[in-house]
């Protein structure tokens, strides 16, 4: 098991775990996969911590994971429990010489020591860009000859309450080591090419109860935010609008096609929990779904304004998670709300290229990178 990593993906309503190793051509060998609904979190609080610990235990049992053979676990930190600080660092070498990886490590360590704060733990220090000798921009300075090096850095924090909660859970299960990794950063590095990240990118992950957005550049996050609206709000709105149970509303949500504009006589035919067929007005159902996506789009736009007062004309946008991507026409509707083209954020794994799997596979990729 030492060549495999165990990763936990903490979603707002689902908890997933995977045991995986490195395959050929940047693929993964999946030894086990676990997924379970749980009470999740909302507005920065886990709703049932006791059940959360039980779900972790169930995952290990279902995965048949032997802690005695591998006592380290990786846990993804969602945006809702994270924050980002931009900072800068520099070093002078005196004489011209080659830049070493140890120089970069020392720079990151020093920046991290200066950036420690109350109530948070540093998850990682990541470079947005480097400047060699105050003139040359670089994203990979190791091996370059220089007298000085400066960097724009992104420091990612996790809330100490989050860390303490999961430290307690994994310690009780018998793990001796846990490493926390930023889910938004992992997704960005996994989905967006190295060349593409030389410019700003926007990564949006719409989950069930929460939406996160990250502005990405280089190997770091220039901005991170989240808000508590997601796909479950669409389900609840459909339930209230048409007096449906949540399971009926969820089925209706899967039937909705936002690109359709029907007549007043057009309906979605929905099978109820009791097996009856009822008719739901097509246009009204689409309006309910569209209203929530509009709300999500408006919140994203406000977050972008907080990042920059100036409109960023060319900003590639990637959409992950299941809150909108599983609605037919959902991505295109959100694109109209934002006035920008949107691409799906897809894992580059054969047969697994779904935006709903971006988070778990990106965490695996980072964990394997960390092991190396």
């Amino acid at each position: 098991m030492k060549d495999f990593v165990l990763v936990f993906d903490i979603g707002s309503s689902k908890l997933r775990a995977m045991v995986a190793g490195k395959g050929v051509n940047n693929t993964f060998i999946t030894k086990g996969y676990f997924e379970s609904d749980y009470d999740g979190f909302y507005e920065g609080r886990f709703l049932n911590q006791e059940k959360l610990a039980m779900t972790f235990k169930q995952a290990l049992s279902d995965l048949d994971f032997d802690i005695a053979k591998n006592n380290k676990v990786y846990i993804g930190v969602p945006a809702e429990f994270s924050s980002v600080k931009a900072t800068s660092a520099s070093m002078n070498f005196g004489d011209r010489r080659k830049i070493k990886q140890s120089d970069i490590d020392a720079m990151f360590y020093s920046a991290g020591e200066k950036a420690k704060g109350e109530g948070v733990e540093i998850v990682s220090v990541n470079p947005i860009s480097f400047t060699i000798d105050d003139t040359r921009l670089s994203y990979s300075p190791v091996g370059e000859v220089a007298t000085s090096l400066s960097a724009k850095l992104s420091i990612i924090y996790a809330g100490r309450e989050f860390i303490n909660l999961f430290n307690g859970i994994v310690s009780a299960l018998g793990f001796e080591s846990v490493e926390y990794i930023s889910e938004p950063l992992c997704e960005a590095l996994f989905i967006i090419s190295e060349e593409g990240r030389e410019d700003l990118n926007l990564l949006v992950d719409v989950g069930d109860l929460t939406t996160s957005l990250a502005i990405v550049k280089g190997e770091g996050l220039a901005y991170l935010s989240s808000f508590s609206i997601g796909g479950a709000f669409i389900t609840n709105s459909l339930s209230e609008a048409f007096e449906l149970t949540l399971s009926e509303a969820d089925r209706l949500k899967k039937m909705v096609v936002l690109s359709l504009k029907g007549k007043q006589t057009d309906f979605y035919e929905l099978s109820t929990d009791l097996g009856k067929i009822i008719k739901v007005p097509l246009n009204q159902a689409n309006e309910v779904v569209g209203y929530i996506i509009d709300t999500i789009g408006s919140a994203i736009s406000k977050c972008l304004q907080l990042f920059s007062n100036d409109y960023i004309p060319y900003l590639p946008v990637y959409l992950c998670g299941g809150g909108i991507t599983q609605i037919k026409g959902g991505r295109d509707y959100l694109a109209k709300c934002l006035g920008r083209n949107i691409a799906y954020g897809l894992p580059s794994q054969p047969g697994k290229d779904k935006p709903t799997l971006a988070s778990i596979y990106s965490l695996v990729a980072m964990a394997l990178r960390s092991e190396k």
Side-chain angles (χ1 to χ4, degrees), residues 4-22:
F4 288 79
V5 293
L6 169 63
V7 166
F8 278 90
D9 178 11
I10 315 297
S12 59
S13 65
K14 287 184 185 294
L15 188 140
R16 297 185 288 185
M18 185 177 286
V19 180
K22 201 161 180 59

Side-chain angles (χ1 to χ4, degrees), residues 220-233:
L221 301 181
Y223 175 80
L224 180 66
S225 186
S226 66
F227 49 88
S228 295
I229 309 173
F233 286 71

Side-chain angles (χ1 to χ4, degrees), residues 90-160:
S90 60
M91 53 177 23
N92 291 301
F93 307 125
D95 298 323
R96 285 181 64 78
R97 66 168 176 82
K98 280 189 176 182
I99 299 170
K100 304 172 186 175
Q101 183 59 48
S102 58
D103 297 323
I104 308 294
D105 295 341
M107 179 184 282
F108 288 1
Y109 177 78
S110 176
E113 286 296 301
K114 291 176 184 175
K116 287 182 176 178
E118 289 186 18
V120 292
E121 298 279 354
I122 293 175
V123 173
S124 63
V125 179
N126 307 93
I128 292 174
S129 64
F130 295 95
T131 303
I132 298 169
D133 290 338
D134 297 324
T135 56
R136 284 189 292 138
L137 186 69
S138 174
Y139 293 94
S140 302
V142 175
E144 297 272 4
V145 176
T147 56
S148 68
L149 178 68
S150 60
K152 291 180 180 178
L153 301 177
S154 161
I155 297 176
I156 300 177
Y157 299 95
R160 193 161 286 145

Side-chain angles (χ1 to χ4, degrees), residues 31-234:
K31 210 173 182 70
Y33 177 75
F34 169 87
E35 181 177 305
S36 175
D37 292 328
Y38 77 120
D39 293 311
F41 59 81
Y42 181 68
E43 294 187 345
R45 294 275 176 191
F46 283 94
L47 302 177
N48 189 336
Q49 294 186 11
E50 188 176 320
K51 191 174 178 183
L52 176 62
M54 291 169 57
T55 308
F56 260 70
K57 190 173 182 180
Q58 184 63 48
L60 295 183
S61 174
D62 286 12
L63 292 169
D64 196 23
F65 188 83
D66 190 347
I67 296 175
K69 293 182 180 178
N70 186 349
N71 57 24
K72 182 172 183 178
V73 58
Y74 290 86
I75 295 178
V77 184
E80 194 147 336
F81 300 93
S82 306
S83 57
V84 167
K85 178 183 177 182
T87 188
S88 58
S90 60
M91 53 177 23
N92 291 301
F93 307 125
D95 298 323
R96 285 181 64 78
R97 66 168 176 82
K98 280 189 176 182
I99 299 170
K100 304 172 186 175
Q101 183 59 48
S102 58
D103 297 323
I104 308 294
D105 295 341
M107 179 184 282
F108 288 1
Y109 177 78
S110 176
E113 286 296 301
K114 291 176 184 175
K116 287 182 176 178
E118 289 186 18
V120 292
E121 298 279 354
I122 293 175
V123 173
S124 63
V125 179
N126 307 93
I128 292 174
S129 64
F130 295 95
T131 303
I132 298 169
D133 290 338
D134 297 324
T135 56
R136 284 189 292 138
L137 186 69
S138 174
Y139 293 94
S140 302
V142 175
E144 297 272 4
V145 176
T147 56
S148 68
L149 178 68
S150 60
K152 291 180 180 178
L153 301 177
S154 161
I155 297 176
I156 300 177
Y157 299 95
R160 193 161 286 145
E161 285 187 16
F162 180 93
I163 299 292
N164 290 342
L165 170 62
F166 286 94
N167 277 353
I169 290 173
V170 299
S171 177
L173 291 170
F175 287 98
E176 293 181 9
S177 178
V178 55
E179 185 171 332
Y180 295 93
I181 47 183
S182 165
E183 183 183 306
L185 178 65
C186 290
E187 282 188 323
L189 299 184
F190 187 60
I191 289 166
I192 307 167
S193 70
E194 191 173 338
E195 183 182 342
R197 295 196 309 272
E198 290 181 4
D199 291 312
L200 294 173
N201 292 264
L202 173 62
L203 181 74
V204 178
D205 191 316
V206 183
D208 208 32
L209 298 173
T210 188
T211 293
S212 68
L213 64 154
I215 301 283
V216 186
K217 188 173 182 183
E219 297 282 310
L221 301 181
Y223 175 80
L224 180 66
S225 186
S226 66
F227 49 88
S228 295
I229 309 173
F233 286 71
I234 297 172

